[in-house]
Amino acid sequence: MNIDLFKEARIMDDRELYCRIQISYSELGKMLRIASGMTATAGVDGIVGINENTLVCYELTLFGGKPAREVFRLPFESILSIELRKGLLGLSHNLFVQTEKRRYKLVSTLGKKQQLEALYQAIKNEKK
């Protein structure tokens, strides 16, 4: 991954807190994808990071891992709750971020556990 690209897109700052994740579709989104004949995937690859006091998430391009489209840019003040849980059978880690309008589910592999925990702890410490 090219850290300079992430800094240019303001996904992360000098602390370099980021994690590669999969942005999970809602149940309705999954059903619509199946009904329209698209493949039934859990979501799209993405990157989540902390830039100053903002949690930032971008979709990544299919090839090359470059930031493609901004999913959200949430100031810490607008985050109502944040949870880090183990996924099904303990094979993944899920970060749930809830705002007034929406709830996001970000899924990470076991290998990215430390990066996701560092993000979670940084947000929890800032929200105190």
Side-chain angles (χ1 to χ4, degrees):
M1 289 198 183
N2 191 343
I3 292 177
D4 294 330
L5 282 176
F6 300 151
K7 285 184 179 180
E8 280 179 32
R10 294 185 18 229
I11 297 171
M12 66 178 172
D13 54 16
D14 294 332
R15 294 180 285 182
E16 295 186 2
L17 290 172
Y18 73 96
C19 183
R20 188 173 182 141
I21 45 98
Q22 190 168 44
I23 305 160
S24 182
Y25 294 130
S26 66
E27 295 303 316
L28 177 62
K30 290 177 191 175
M31 286 187 284
L32 290 173
R33 290 176 64 83
I34 293 170
S36 66
M38 299 176 84
T39 58
T41 61
V44 295
D45 287 336
I47 187 89
V48 65
I50 294 177
N51 183 28
E52 296 169 4
N53 287 336
T54 307
L55 183 66
V56 182
C57 183
Y58 268 80
E59 287 182 5
L60 293 177
T61 57
L62 185 59
F63 300 106
K66 297 177 184 172
R69 184 181 71 87
E70 183 175 290
V71 177
F72 62 77
R73 187 173 292 270
L74 302 172
F76 290 164
E77 300 84 40
S78 69
I79 298 173
L80 298 178
S81 70
I82 185 163
E83 298 177 53
L84 182 63
R85 294 191 224 156
K86 284 188 177 180
L88 183 66
L89 302 175
L91 299 175
S92 64
H93 292 281
N94 301 333
L95 183 69
F96 295 95
V97 180
Q98 184 175 1
T99 64
E100 287 183 14
K101 297 180 181 179
R102 186 156 178 209
R103 185 171 185 190
Y104 297 94
K105 179 181 176 185
L106 309 173
V107 181
S108 149
T109 61
L110 289 176
K112 307 285 188 209
K113 176 184 176 184
Q114 290 179 336
Q115 290 175 311
L116 200 61
E117 281 182 347
L119 280 168
Y120 174 72
Q121 287 302 323
I123 295 168
K124 283 301 241 183
N125 292 340
E126 287 287 328
K127 287 192 65 68
K128 285 184 180 179

